[in-house]
DNA sequence: TTATATGCAAATTGTTTGCCTAGGC
DNA sequence: GCCTAGGCAAACAATTTGCATATAA
């Protein structure tokens, strides 16, 4: 039996976590959710919340907002450009091709003028990671 | 004297950190830089690297790639949409207006087809944070 | 000389994991 | 009954901070 065929049980904690995240539009953090869930299941643990958020994400029920990655990275280039992050090795490369203005315009159309900047991160597998076993 | 007028000294550590980050295009993490800097200033400390990266970022000499934020956030909406993150309070709101396809297209033009997804995060101050003291 | 910067270590913060028990199917 | 999930606490990883000393200006 494949690892992905593991049976996903329908537990209280899991159901309540999903309900609570669906109740709000605030994009809660793990421990904001923990606080909410605790009102309904007082003995739930933070570990359970993290484990279930991970599982729900794997199953496409929710999404983890995960631009960024674990460690912060630094960039000597301060001009506008975009980033490609490899989902396997974590490497970041610059995307410097031309549609900068195009994206700029679309973002402006989307967000108005009340913003100070934006960050576009394209994700996928970099060439060297694409050539190894999945 | 304003806090921002603090005199920035020209120290060895600071200069070497900046040189090292400029020497590469790999968007190093703090401890990758620490390893590099250590080759030239063996007794440098990781704390110094972090402190200087922060200062260099404040001064616009480098940029911290900081989509994300410290804690991960979760989203019950799995359809494509974008996020606005308030730089003061950290709140995230969805940007769901229409130029989704426009941005999609521009990203495709930018990155080709070899990607699995992307994340657009617009940053600024949200209305309630805009109305309090800077 | 004096305020800024550093080294070092300890503290914090966010997240993950091991282990043993509970509970869904 | 078996195997996935949960609780709890300890382990981890990344980053920040306090404090005494060093150093640029």
């Amino acid at each position: 039996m494949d690892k992905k065929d593991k049976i996903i049980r329908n537990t209280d904690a899991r159901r309540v976590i999903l309900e609570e995240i669906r109740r709000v539009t605030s994009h809660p953090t793990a421990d904001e959710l923990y606080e909410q869930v605790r009102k309904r299941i007082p003995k739930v643990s933070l570990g359970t919340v993290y484990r279930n958020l991970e599982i729900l994400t794997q199953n496409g029920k929710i999404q983890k907002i995960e631009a960024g990655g674990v460690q912060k990275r630094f960039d000597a280039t301060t001009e506008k450009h975009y980033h490609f992050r490899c989902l396997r090795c974590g490497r970041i490369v610059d995307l410097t091709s031309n549609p900068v203005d195009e994206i700029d315009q679309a973002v402006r159309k989307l967000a108005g003028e009340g913003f100070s900047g934006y960050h576009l991160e394209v994700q996928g597998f970099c060439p060297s990671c694409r050539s190894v076993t999945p």
Side-chain angles (χ1 to χ4, degrees), chain A residues 50-118:
Chain A
Y50 273 106
R51 271 187 279 231
N52 278 303
L53 287 172
E54 199 50 44
I55 290 171
L56 291 167
T57 302
Q58 301 311 333
N59 287 261
K61 295 282 201 304
I62 64 173
Q63 106 180 85
K64 193 195 288 188
I65 300 179
E66 65 177 337
V70 254
Q71 289 170 283
K72 292 285 174 209
R73 292 182 169 272
F74 296 86
D75 196 334
T77 311
T78 54
E79 292 153 38
K80 168 148 345 180
H81 64 285
Y82 309 112
H83 292 122
F84 178 93
R85 177 187 307 264
C86 177
L87 294 172
R88 178 175 287 114
C89 68
R91 246 190 292 261
I92 291 187
V93 307
D94 290 333
L95 294 173
T96 39
S97 354
N98 47 344
V100 170
D101 291 340
E102 238 166 273
I103 289 177
D104 249 55
Q105 262 186 306
V107 169
R108 238 163 274 277
K109 203 185 276 184
L110 182 74
E113 293 295 331
F115 64 93
S116 61
Y118 64 92

Side-chain angles (χ1 to χ4, degrees), chain A residues 20-21 23-29 32 65:
Chain A
E20 288 303 319
I21 192 173
R23 250 163 39 73
V24 294
T25 56
S26 60
H27 310 81
T29 60
E32 286 164 358
I65 300 179

